[in-house]
Amino acid sequence: MKNKTIAGFSVTKCSAFQFFKKRVRRWMRSPKVSVDKYQPAHMRNSDTFVSTPTQKDAEPQLWCQSHCQECHLCQVIANTPDVEECAHTKARSCKVNNSTKVMPYLNLLLHTQVLLAKRKHDDEFYAVKVLQKKAILKKKEEKHIMSERNVLLKNVKHPFLVGLHYSFQTADKLYFVLDYINGGELFYHLQRERCFLEPRARFYAAEIASALGYLHSLNIVYRDLKPENILLDHHGHIILTDFGLCKENIEPKGTTCTFCGTPEYLAPEVLHKQPYDRTVDWWCLGAVLYEMLYGLPPFYSRNTAEMYDNILNKPLQLKPNISNAARELLEGLLQKDRTKRLGAKEDFNEIKAHVFFSPINWVDLNAKKLMPPFNPNVSGPSDLQHFDPEFTEEPVPNSIGKSLDNALITASIKEASDAFLGFSYAPPIDSFL
């Protein structure tokens, strides 16, 4: 093994480092993973939806049509901008209606951008997620987007779920205005530290479990838990984000059967195309906890077909460098039979009662009274040290919120507008003011 320095961090060049390096490279190059290619014959040609990070757009254009604006937020964020230079980022930024400044990319995926914006009258920072309607309609994901919007509206009262402040649409794009979280992705920190000590992994797992338990109490199954969807806030607390694969209206004994998720974290029942329930989230929690403790997902293989076979058939292997409580928890969460999985009977109550979490005071945890084991040490909202420079150095187009002169309402624009009726949201005027 060799030591290597990345962004000032000393990283041991080992299997975990190689895994992350190749995983990021694969995501940057491949716009989509073909699931059918790796599925058993009886699962092919079925309705599948697998979430995989994708490569960024080349020079995305953020033109907005003023005639499709739906709510008063458009008067704040989606009017004609004047372009100026944002000194601290060396990137182009936009003044929007003299109220909002749009700054660098925080993330950039195919057909999706996440931008940093600051409302000028109070200097509040927001993350603005921008989605291309055309791409959503092409992949028939309208229901997923509306479900994400609905779930976001329910998250505002939980400390470990990202909150939605506004949502609105233009002729060709959808906008989510979200909490701005700048402590970095859990994946980002795992990439640099290889794995976490058990107390740190326990703290993160407890906050994640609390968030999942809250979603389950609202009859929502998350279905896409992975380190890339877990953020750290400026104090080091967990924030769960990206609710595009959530399934609503799943009662305690209810099931669903859509094939979706991320390959490394798919539960056996999902791969088998069997009906599954809330316990699919506890499997994913086990996979993430395993990755935090060992540096790799539990059944990982570079060969996707082999990885799927491992998930379905390979016994769980646990190295001896964890406590008996951690071993017992992983064995319970990564139980291949969902009816015997930890959480199958009493859901979140089973998880928090496990001996692994005995050091956790759950009331204090949810009140954010427990000191996080790691502080991202950000100097303020404009501190972007935990974001990949590949995204933050990307120039922001000077057309955000700007309408084309004499724009034509085409049939495709009309169809896109009709597909997302009721998407827009703004808080009451008095809370906005």
Side-chain angles (χ1 to χ4, degrees), residues 61-65 170-173 175 398-404:
Q61 296 299 311
L62 299 183
W63 292 105
C64 301
Q65 310 298 329
T170 62
D172 55 349
K173 293 180 180 65
Y175 296 80
N398 62 359
S399 57
I400 296 176
K402 188 173 183 179
S403 300
L404 290 168

Side-chain angles (χ1 to χ4, degrees), residues 1 6 13 16 64 72-73 82 90 139 151 155 168 218 220 223 233 238 240 308 329 340 371 378 394 414 420 422:
M1 296 191 297
I6 297 180
K13 193 171 183 181
C64 301
H72 72 78
L73 174 62
D82 299 319
K90 297 182 181 179
K139 294 189 287 184
V151 171
N155 290 354
F168 64 97
L218 301 175
I220 297 168
R223 300 198 296 185
D233 68 11
I238 285 295
L240 202 58
Y308 285 171
L329 178 63
K340 299 177 182 179
M371 181 71 69
V378 293
E394 186 77 17
K414 180 70 165 59
F420 302 99

Side-chain angles (χ1 to χ4, degrees), residues 10-40:
S10 178
V11 179
T12 302
K13 193 171 183 181
C14 65
S15 59
F17 171 74
Q18 292 299 319
F19 160 72
F20 285 120
K21 182 178 177 182
K22 291 167 184 173
R23 183 162 156 188
V24 171
R25 185 185 298 124
R26 183 178 78 245
W27 288 344
M28 293 303 298
R29 290 180 178 176
S30 175
K32 189 172 181 65
V33 173
S34 175
V35 180
D36 289 343
K37 178 179 177 182
Y38 305 108
Q39 287 181 287

Side-chain angles (χ1 to χ4, degrees), residues 223-225 265-267 279-289:
R223 300 198 296 185
D224 197 25
L225 186 68
Y265 308 95
L266 291 175
T279 58
V280 72
D281 285 340
W282 302 130
W283 171 278
C284 292
L285 176 63
V288 170
L289 176 59

Side-chain angles (χ1 to χ4, degrees), residues 64 105 123 145 156 159 167-168 196 221 311 315 325 337 342 348 358 367 373:
C64 301
Y105 288 108
D123 287 341
I145 298 302
V156 291
S167 61
F168 64 97
F196 299 147
V221 182
I311 292 172
D337 183 348
L342 189 67
F348 174 53
S358 58

